[in-house]
């Protein structure tokens, strides 16, 4: 005999609160959102800062990227659409029949060396600038700066900072554990060739000037910054660089940190376990990974591991490391993804399902979370 919905709801309500909490933590964010409709208790639990933070710590990394699409589809979440109150609305009921940039997610199954590309059906992008804790800093097709959580579809338009005609600039997006605030950082080269910096706190929604990096510290802005524990890190040039640049978001001050080896074209900074890692290709057969650790009052690089292969691995660009530190994901050009298993010491090509032509311009590390830019912002 089938149980009635009312009886099922009553049975669920008899479960201990802590047990419900732990069970819900095991679910992906998109499924948890649906469960806010079960009852008021679950809705309150799921929207609590404690649950959102606990769930975020369990979320695994994915890749997000933009790709053009031309087909007309109903119920698309268009980030350019406004209503009469000048607020972004959820859907564009009559999407225009022209190409748009849409966001896609690549989710990995490391046990089977495959990945699936999912389509959140969100369009209207010009560029992704940075990601942090499941939030994306991006611009829409008109150039408006905004924060978006693709899972909850909550969106926050931001004030524009200094307009740089040459686009010689870099954006960072970081969370401060100390102040519990998100901040956007804009570093740019002005018309005179000098580097300037401004910061926008999402609590005040105002851009303010801050400490300016030493002249010549930034060579170019090719590499996007990496954030960890309230600090942003940049590789300041594309090649032959022997240092990185850091910026503590609370101190608002730039610093230089020497690298253990000089960089090559495909070397990158990646975050793992709240620590910064530097992945460098030393030869065509060898890649070395270093971790930046704090020892007393200084930061030092500690060698994490060395990847030795018996074939040419030139062209592999490190993208991210899984939270447990076991798998390191690489991309090769635009259409191939590889994973290295640090326990088994094996490199393998990832089979990508769902879209054979997943060519992208640039991929960012992302997480599917319930995070918002403010504890007072509802999930729905």
């Amino acid at each position: 005999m089938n149980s009635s919905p009312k009886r099922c709801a009553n049975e669920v309500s008899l479960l201990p609160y802590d047990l419900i909490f732990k069970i819900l933590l095991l679910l992906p964010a998109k499924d948890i959102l649906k469960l806010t409709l079960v009852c008021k208790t679950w809705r309150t639990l799921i929207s609590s800062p404690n649950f959102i933070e606990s769930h975020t710590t369990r979320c695994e990394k994915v890749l997000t990227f933009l790709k053009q699409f031309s087909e007309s589809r109903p119920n698309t979440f268009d980030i350019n659409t406004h209503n009469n109150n000048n607020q972004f609305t959820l859907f564009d009921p009559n999407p225009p029949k022209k190409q748009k940039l849409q966001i896609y997610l690549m989710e990995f199954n490391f046990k089977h060396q495959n990945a699936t590309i999912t389509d959140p059906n969100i369009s209207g992008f010009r560029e992704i600038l940075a990601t942090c804790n499941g939030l994306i800093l991006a611009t829409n097709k008109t150039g408006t700066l905004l924060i978006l959580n693709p899972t909850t579809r909550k969106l926050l338009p931001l004030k524009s900072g200094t307009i740089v005609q040459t686009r010689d600039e870099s954006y960072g997006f970081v969370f401060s554990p100390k102040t519990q605030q998100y901040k956007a950082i804009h570093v740019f080269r002005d018309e005179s060739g000098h580097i300037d910096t401004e910061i926008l706190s999402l609590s005040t929604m105002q851009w303010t000037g801050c400490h300016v990096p030493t002249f010549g510290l930034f060579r170019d802005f090719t590499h996007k910054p990496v954030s960890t524990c309230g600090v942003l890190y940049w590789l300041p040039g594309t090649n032959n660089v022997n240092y990185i640049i850091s910026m503590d978001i609370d101190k608002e001050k730039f610093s230089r940190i020497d690298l253990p080896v000089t960089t090559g074209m495909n070397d990158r900074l990646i975050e793992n376990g709240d620590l910064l890692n530097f992945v460098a290709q030393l030869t065509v057969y060898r890649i070395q990974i270093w971790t930046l650790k704090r020892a007393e009052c200084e930061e030092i690089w500690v060698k994490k591991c060395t990847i030795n292969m018996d074939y040419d691995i030139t062209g592999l660009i490190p993208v991210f490391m899984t939270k447990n530190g076991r798998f390191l994901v690489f991309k090769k050009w635009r259409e191939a993804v590889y994973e290295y298993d640090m326990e088994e010491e094996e490199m393998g090509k990832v089979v990508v399902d769902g879209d054979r032509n997943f060519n992208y311009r640039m991929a960012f590390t992302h997480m599917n979370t319930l995070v918002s830019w403010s504890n007072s912002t509802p999930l729905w």
Side-chain angles (χ1 to χ4, degrees):
M1 180 179 296
N2 294 329
S3 299
S4 66
K6 184 175 181 180
R7 178 183 174 185
C8 290
N10 290 335
E11 290 176 349
V12 168
S13 66
L14 295 177
L15 293 174
Y17 181 90
D18 290 347
L19 180 59
I20 296 175
F21 189 101
K22 293 178 180 179
I23 292 174
L24 294 181
L25 282 181
L26 302 176
L27 301 176
K30 61 182 180 180
D31 292 337
I32 293 176
L33 276 180
K34 300 174 184 177
L35 296 178
T36 59
L37 303 176
V38 171
C39 61
K40 185 177 180 180
T41 300
W42 282 29
R43 184 184 178 103
T44 302
L45 184 156
I46 291 169
S47 60
S48 68
N50 184 31
F51 179 84
I52 293 174
E53 181 179 356
S54 298
H55 184 265
T56 301
T57 61
R58 299 180 60 90
C59 292
E60 192 52 84
K61 299 172 186 176
V62 302
L63 288 181
T64 184
F65 57 93
L66 300 178
K67 180 183 172 184
Q68 285 189 338
F69 76 103
S70 56
E71 68 273 16
S72 178
R73 296 187 300 173
N75 298 329
T76 297
F77 183 103
D78 191 329
I79 63 174
N80 297 278
T81 305
H82 292 70
N83 62 23
N84 294 330
N85 296 321
N86 199 33
Q87 297 294 319
F88 285 81
T89 57
L90 286 181
F91 298 111
D92 179 4
N94 299 300
K97 296 182 179 181
K98 62 181 181 179
Q99 285 193 331
K100 296 180 180 180
L101 282 176
Q102 178 162 317
I103 195 169
Y104 290 85
L105 303 172
M106 185 184 297
E107 302 178 11
F108 292 81
N109 184 340
F110 292 101
K111 292 182 179 180
H112 299 94
Q113 286 191 349
N114 62 41
T116 302
I117 293 181
T118 58
D119 173 9
N121 201 19
I122 304 175
S123 68
F125 292 88
R126 173 184 288 183
E127 185 179 7
I128 294 176
L129 301 171
T131 62
C132 182
N133 292 343
L135 300 177
I136 294 177
L137 177 67
T139 52
N140 66 11
K141 64 182 182 182
T142 64
T144 300
L145 196 65
L146 53 90
I147 302 292
L148 169 72
N149 183 325
T151 303
T152 64
R153 294 190 170 186
K154 297 299 295 184
L155 187 150
L156 176 69
L158 304 177
K159 276 188 174 182
S160 295
T162 301
I163 305 299
V164 182
Q165 298 297 334
T166 61
R167 308 274 318 264
D168 194 9
E169 59 189 342
S170 175
Y171 279 92
F173 188 43
V174 62
F175 177 74
S176 168
K178 182 178 180 180
T179 63
Q180 297 290 296
Q181 294 179 359
Y182 286 93
K183 293 183 180 182
I185 296 87
H186 183 207
V187 186
F188 58 95
R189 197 182 307 274
D190 62 23
E191 294 179 355
S192 64
H194 293 283
I195 302 294
D196 207 347
T197 310
E198 54 192 1
I199 295 178
L200 180 137
S201 172
L202 299 192
S203 62
T204 64
M205 296 298 287
Q206 297 293 328
W207 287 99
T208 58
C210 67
H211 178 269
V212 177
T214 306
F215 181 78
L217 201 59
F218 279 97
R219 298 184 188 178
D220 58 56
F221 298 118
T222 301
H223 296 298
K224 303 291 185 181
V226 175
S227 66
T228 175
C229 291
V231 181
L232 283 168
Y233 299 91
W234 286 264
L235 277 171
T238 55
N239 193 20
N240 199 29
V241 175
N242 59 7
Y243 66 92
I244 61 173
I245 301 170
S246 69
M247 181 190 188
D248 188 305
I249 196 61
D250 296 316
K251 298 178 181 178
E252 298 186 358
K253 185 177 180 180
F254 290 91
S255 301
R256 168 180 167 149
I257 303 173
D258 290 335
L259 285 169
V261 295
T262 302
T263 65
M265 287 292 293
N266 296 330
D267 298 348
R268 295 292 188 273
L269 299 174
I270 58 175
E271 179 272 339
N272 172 254
D274 291 334
L275 294 173
L276 183 73
N277 296 275
F278 173 55
V279 185
Q281 183 157 1
L282 303 184
T283 71
V284 295
Y285 307 108
R286 180 181 299 172
I287 292 174
Q288 211 159 64
I289 305 171
W290 301 74
T291 301
L292 186 65
K293 295 187 176 181
R294 180 171 292 277
E296 296 181 354
C297 296
E298 64 176 348
E299 292 176 308
I300 60 173
W301 291 100
V302 178
K303 190 185 299 184
K304 181 181 178 73
C305 72
T306 300
I307 300 174
N308 291 300
M309 308 303 295
D310 56 5
Y311 53 88
D312 190 338
I313 52 176
T314 304
L316 292 182
I317 301 174
V319 180
F320 74 87
M321 188 182 297
T322 54
K323 282 193 172 183
N324 60 11
R326 176 171 176 175
F327 295 97
L328 180 59
V329 176
F330 295 87
K331 68 174 181 178
K332 190 170 186 179
W333 311 118
R334 291 184 175 186
E335 299 181 353
V337 180
Y338 293 82
E339 65 176 51
Y340 180 76
D341 187 332
M342 296 191 189
E343 290 186 6
E344 301 294 334
E345 298 184 350
E346 294 179 349
M347 181 82 73
K349 186 174 182 179
V350 176
V351 177
V352 180
D353 299 321
D355 190 341
R356 295 182 181 272
N357 301 309
F358 65 92
N359 194 349
Y360 53 84
R361 292 186 298 175
M362 179 173 291
F364 289 79
T365 305
H366 178 64
M367 295 189 297
N368 295 318
T369 73
L370 302 170
V371 167
S372 180
W373 47 86
S374 170
N375 287 339
S376 61
T377 303
L379 294 178
W380 43 88

